[in-house]
Amino acid sequence: MKKTLILLLLLFGVSLSSRSVMAFELQVEPVAEAVHALVGEIGPRKPENHALNNTLGFVVTPEGVVLVGSGTTEPAARMIEDAVAKVTAQPIRWVVNIGVQDHHWMGNRYFTRKGARVIALQRTVDGQKQAVENHLRRLRQVVGDEEADSMVPEWSAEPLPGERAEFELGGKRFELLWPGGGHFPGDALLWMPDQRVVFAGDHVFHDRMLGIQPESKLLDWQRSFHRIEALEPLHVVPGHGHAGDLAKARRDTGDYLDWLVSQVGKALEDWKELEETVDELADAPQFRHLKFYDAWHRRNIHSAYLQLEAQQ
Ligand SMILES: [Zn+2]
């Protein structure tokens, strides 16, 4: 009798936990008046989260919704649409692309089919086109063939030239800026000067450790971060993690970039070898609160060393 009860409880527990895995939902976080962050998975990419392990956002205007980033696949785009619909009945009329990485723009087509217009800098579109094959291949590994086959990449039809574009959508002012590269060349940010909100894209990681990818340029990234600081935003919507303020962005991203540049730079000045440098810097308790510290920190020191060494 007791055994049966335990078994039933176990089964009940398993079914509950598997249901919670299946029911992955984006979190809608209010940021400022009419501005919301859409926080995806902070952990790894999985079929259940449709590889949507990043943060997007949206702005509600009287003329429609400005969506910042369109997600990965069609089911991910539907999830975004559902999350927006919980806040407003306004249609998504504009999709601003600030990121080159797949999860910031691969859902474009889902929204253009419904009449939305995609807005992006030429630089961002160039980066997206350059990375698309590689990103599709990786995405396929996560979501499987069926979901990946349903995806047709679509770029902004009229990309904006230069490094800065100002426009008004639904009566709200926006500036699309290219601060100088970082995580991926072509990554931009969206600034709302009146609300002092910055959608920083993959220039800023909150709650999880950033990863220096082969495409990332550490010194550019550090410089770009300082340009974001110079805007003096009140609210930062990061490319990954929960929305926060500038102090949080500094703690979780800016300080880490500065630390990597200064500490690895010093090791190079002292003619330390790569392995020695990684071992000596492997323990950085001030960044241990970040998710993926164990997986990424040593790797980041390694990448930083090779990049800074090549630039000497
Ligand atoms: Zn990203």
Side-chain angles (χ1 to χ4, degrees), residues 19-77:
R19 225 191 348 256
S20 64
V21 168
M22 291 308 288
F24 171 77
E25 267 185 46
L26 287 165
Q27 293 173 48
V28 180
E29 286 179 358
V31 173
E33 200 214 327
V35 183
H36 304 264
L38 281 171
V39 183
E41 176 72 60
I42 295 175
R45 297 168 164 235
K46 289 182 204 156
E48 294 82 5
N49 58 38
H50 307 286
L52 202 64
N53 69 331
N54 61 315
T55 298
L56 309 165
F58 64 97
V59 182
V60 182
T61 84
E63 293 167 36
V65 171
V66 182
L67 184 64
V68 187
S70 58
T72 42
T73 65
E74 282 232 4

Side-chain angles (χ1 to χ4, degrees), residues 38 40 63 88 106 111 129 151 197 204 228 233 252 287 303 307:
L38 281 171
E63 293 167 36
T88 176
M106 289 256 188
F111 297 102
K129 286 185 176 172
M151 291 171 52
V197 173
V204 176
I228 293 171
D252 290 0
F287 304 116
S303 305
Q307 279 193 23

Side-chain angles (χ1 to χ4, degrees), residues 16-17 22 73 142 146-147 157 190 236 288 303 306 309:
L16 262 187
S17 65
M22 291 308 288
T73 65
V142 178
E146 199 185 328
E147 191 169 327
L190 187 66
V236 180
R288 211 183 284 134
S303 305
L306 295 180
E309 186 187 37

Side-chain angles (χ1 to χ4, degrees), residues 45 53-55 101-104 183-184 187 201-202 205 208 213 239-240:
R45 297 168 164 235
N53 69 331
N54 61 315
T55 298
Q101 210 179 1
D102 54 6
H103 44 218
H104 290 291
H183 188 51
F184 277 89
D187 278 349
D202 284 345
F205 283 52
R208 57 154 293 183
Q213 304 280 354
H240 293 262

Side-chain angles (χ1 to χ4, degrees), residues 210-222:
L210 60 85
I212 299 177
Q213 304 280 354
E215 298 89 342
S216 309
K217 300 277 178 283
L218 175 61
L219 291 176
D220 291 347
W221 198 342
Q222 184 194 27

Side-chain angles (χ1 to χ4, degrees), residues 94-100 104-105 108 117-126 128 154-162 164-165 167 169 176-177 186 188-190:
W94 304 277
V95 178
V96 182
N97 283 177
I98 56 173
V100 165
H104 290 291
W105 68 276
N108 282 353
R117 180 160 65 91
V118 178
I119 301 170
L121 291 179
Q122 180 70 55
R123 246 175 222 282
T124 307
V125 174
D126 292 345
Q128 291 169 340
E154 187 173 307
W155 296 276
S156 169
E158 291 171 343
L160 305 165
R164 186 165 183 268
F167 45 86
L169 302 171
L176 196 47
L177 305 167
L189 51 91
L190 187 66

